[in-house]
Amino acid sequence: MSKASKIVLRIQSADGTKRVEVSDTGTLRELYDAVQATFGYPDDGFALYKERNCTKELVSSRSQSVKDSALKHGDMIYLRSVAGPSTSKQQPPERSSSVASIASTSSSSGATTSGGGGGFSREPTPSTSGATALLNGEDPVDIELYKQDGRIQRKRDEKLCRHNSNGCCVHCSPLEPYDEAYLKEQKIKHFSFHSYLKKLTSGVDRGKFVALEDLNCKIKMGCRDHPPWPKGICSKCQPSAITLNRQTYRHVDNVMFENTGIVERFLNYWRTTGHQRIGMLFGTYEVHPDVPLGIRARVAAIYEPPQESNRDSIRLLEDEHAVEIEELARQLGLQRVGWIFTDLLAENAAAGTVKHVRGIKTHFLTAHECILAGHLQNKYPNRCKHASKGLFGSKFVTVCVTGDDKKQVHMEGYAVSAQCMALVRDNCLIPTKDAPELGYIRESSDKQYVPDVYYKTVVPNLKF
């Protein structure tokens, strides 16, 4: 590296101002390491900002360079100490899995599953409008992401740009975090939720009239134009028909376990008994630097609630210690961020291989798993200031431990869509007996009106 590519940055902190020399082509992670060595701070003990009021945070990333962050020789950077792990720090994940968005699947409450692994049943539970809906204020990660611009910086194109290094044109101007071409190029399938909010609020009115509404599958009560259902119904109280579509955004973009020991201890039950297992994930939400305005769930512990299981199914029991577990997690600064379950069938014990039963030709999640995922997401909703009721969607994730196409133990992360959550909440979906991957819409009856649910299928190109 030539000496001309080195730049000096001034770092201002409560302990004074010091200078750090870095390469302009080095990553922001290398900048953090250089600052840590200069100031002697412990890892994760500080965050860097471009502004004196601690805005425009420089998120530690192994992909973004110092030059990409518009830092020049002699610039002043502001350091602030943080208590506990900083959301800006990116640590190498021991195990992580992307979260996919399931557009629609089955739902209902209290069903039992049979078939190859991953079957569930649960005890009847009270209404899920519960204590979490009464909490005030949004998660700290949401408040932090609201402050970020989220635009994707681009370098000057030597072939197309006709201006000097201080100029900007259409070929090098920053991209919006919801730019579809960029996301496709980076192989990011879904918008992050805050990118979706930026898109909604990017119009002329700046989101003045944006109000996120949950899907409703029930008849509106109190209509006086006719007798109550089933004797009468009108367009004002009748819920609209639903067309199942793939959700374009997701609330959580990545799930990361803090260390492999967490998962290994959880898998030991299956290794010793051959029975499946369910666990609740406790951790925190933080900024995910590899997705524009993304959120990552960092798992610190797995709690295994009371359950009965065998090789093919799991039945959750009433947890007498649920209140104590929640209080202990709160004192540790943790919250429920998701749930994990196993669907593992040993194939060759000597080789340590497992059967590959889930995939595009079979299913990724069964109907019962989607039902339970939707139930839990409704129980732990996401607080959002743009929602008319203060709640919209959920950050609660689902992690499935199963065999991959190489017959190795593998983890995949999912989250059912808002449509699935609504169908589960209003008890409109039930599983089928003979096809675990399919769900069934209830028929309307004198006791419950169920709206029409439509779906679209895409026929692939045929090769002759």
Side-chain angles (χ1 to χ4, degrees):
M1 183 68 67
S2 64
K3 189 175 181 179
S5 63
K6 294 285 186 178
I7 62 174
V8 175
L9 300 174
R10 295 174 295 163
I11 313 298
Q12 186 179 89
S13 71
D15 299 326
T17 302
K18 298 183 180 181
R19 296 184 180 184
V20 172
E21 185 180 55
V22 294
S23 171
D24 60 352
T25 58
T27 64
L28 290 180
R29 177 66 188 184
E30 294 173 355
L31 172 61
Y32 267 82
D33 292 339
V35 173
Q36 178 193 355
T38 302
F39 283 85
Y41 281 102
D43 196 19
D44 293 338
F46 65 94
L48 301 177
Y49 300 85
K50 297 177 68 174
E51 298 294 339
R52 186 185 298 272
N53 59 355
C54 293
T55 59
K56 296 183 179 181
E57 183 178 5
L58 294 169
V59 178
S60 176
S61 172
R62 299 187 187 276
S63 58
Q64 188 175 5
S65 68
V66 175
K67 184 184 294 185
D68 293 340
S69 303
L71 293 175
K72 302 183 297 296
H73 179 75
D75 280 355
M76 178 76 79
I77 298 176
Y78 302 91
L79 184 150
R80 185 183 69 177
S81 300
V82 295
S86 168
T87 56
S88 69
K89 298 294 287 178
Q90 177 189 12
Q91 297 191 6
E94 297 290 345
R95 291 175 179 261
S96 65
S97 59
S98 300
V99 178
S101 178
I102 306 302
S104 65
T105 16
S106 40
S107 72
S108 172
S109 58
T112 51
T113 316
S114 60
F120 304 100
S121 68
R122 54 183 174 84
E123 294 295 322
T125 55
S127 172
T128 58
S129 57
T132 52
L134 301 177
L135 297 176
N136 295 320
E138 295 178 283
D139 290 330
V141 67
D142 292 313
I143 297 174
E144 182 175 351
L145 287 172
Y146 281 134
K147 301 176 183 178
Q148 296 186 14
D149 179 73
R151 292 188 177 183
I152 304 159
Q153 301 296 327
R154 294 192 294 173
K155 297 180 181 180
R156 180 178 179 274
D157 194 310
E158 298 296 338
K159 295 181 179 179
L160 300 176
C161 295
R162 304 300 181 185
H163 52 78
N164 57 28
S165 59
N166 294 326
C168 185
C169 68
V170 68
H171 301 294
C172 62
S173 59
L175 299 175
E176 296 292 346
Y178 47 83
D179 185 83
E180 295 185 9
Y182 174 82
L183 297 178
K184 185 176 181 180
E185 178 184 346
Q186 301 297 318
K187 296 182 180 180
I188 300 174
K189 189 176 181 181
H190 302 84
F191 298 155
S192 65
F193 180 62
H194 280 266
S195 294
Y196 175 71
L197 293 179
K198 290 285 186 182
K199 186 175 183 179
L200 292 180
T201 57
S202 62
V204 178
D205 58 357
R206 295 297 178 184
K208 181 179 180 181
F209 303 103
V210 171
L212 300 176
E213 297 283 351
D214 283 323
L215 186 66
N216 180 43
C217 303
K218 291 184 177 180
I219 293 177
K220 295 180 181 178
M221 306 302 293
C223 186
R224 300 182 179 180
D225 295 341
H226 53 78
W229 173 266
K231 295 182 178 180
I233 192 172
C234 67
S235 59
K236 292 188 295 183
C237 61
Q238 178 182 5
S240 302
I242 302 169
T243 300
L244 301 180
N245 292 307
R246 184 177 72 87
Q247 188 167 290
T248 58
Y249 64 89
R250 55 190 178 187
H251 288 271
V252 175
D253 302 276
N254 185 265
V255 182
M256 185 183 75
F257 293 84
E258 287 191 345
N259 58 74
T260 56
I262 300 173
V263 180
E264 293 300 324
R265 286 193 297 270
F266 176 71
L267 293 179
N268 280 339
Y269 181 85
W270 171 79
R271 291 191 179 108
T272 55
T273 66
H275 295 177
Q276 309 305 329
R277 197 69 170 165
I278 282 180
M280 295 296 166
L281 305 178
F282 282 86
T284 57
Y285 296 109
E286 62 184 17
V287 177
H288 184 37
D290 297 333
V291 177
L293 298 179
I295 294 177
R296 176 169 58 197
R298 177 190 288 267
V299 180
I302 300 178
Y303 167 66
E304 301 176 29
Q307 56 194 279
E308 295 177 354
S309 64
N310 54 39
R311 177 179 174 272
D312 299 321
S313 64
I314 307 172
R315 182 171 179 264
L316 290 176
L317 305 176
E318 183 179 355
D319 190 358
E320 298 178 353
H321 303 288
V323 177
E324 290 87 346
I325 293 297
E326 292 288 348
E327 176 61 21
L328 178 61
R330 186 190 65 80
Q331 293 183 9
L332 294 173
L334 304 176
Q335 60 179 311
R336 291 183 190 246
V337 297
W339 68 296
I340 185 173
F341 66 93
T342 62
D343 181 14
L344 295 168
L345 298 173
E347 182 180 65
N348 188 329
T353 58
V354 293
K355 292 183 178 180
H356 175 51
V357 296
R358 295 175 184 250
I360 193 170
K361 295 182 179 180
T362 54
H363 61 274
F364 293 103
L365 290 179
T366 67
H368 296 84
E369 292 158 4
C370 290
I371 292 167
L372 185 52
H375 167 76
L376 292 172
Q377 287 180 211
N378 283 313
K379 188 176 181 180
Y380 300 99
N382 176 57
R383 298 181 292 276
C384 180
K385 67 180 182 181
H386 293 287
S388 58
K389 297 180 180 179
L391 301 172
F392 184 77
S394 175
K395 295 192 188 76
F396 204 83
V397 299
T398 299
V399 178
C400 174
V401 186
T402 186
D404 60 11
D405 55 358
K406 298 179 181 178
K407 299 184 178 181
Q408 300 296 315
V409 176
H410 176 67
M411 292 191 299
E412 286 289 346
Y414 301 95
V416 298
S417 67
Q419 286 183 328
C420 185
M421 288 175 60
L423 293 171
V424 171
R425 181 194 64 228
D426 296 333
N427 199 25
C428 296
L429 285 172
I430 55 177
T432 56
K433 293 182 179 180
D434 55 346
E437 73 277 10
L438 298 179
Y440 183 77
I441 300 297
R442 288 184 183 273
E443 300 289 343
S444 293
S445 63
D446 294 345
K447 297 181 179 179
Q448 180 183 2
Y449 176 84
V450 179
D452 294 329
V453 178
Y454 304 99
Y455 66 94
K456 298 183 292 185
T457 58
V458 178
V459 179
N461 295 328
L462 301 179
K463 295 183 180 180
F464 298 94

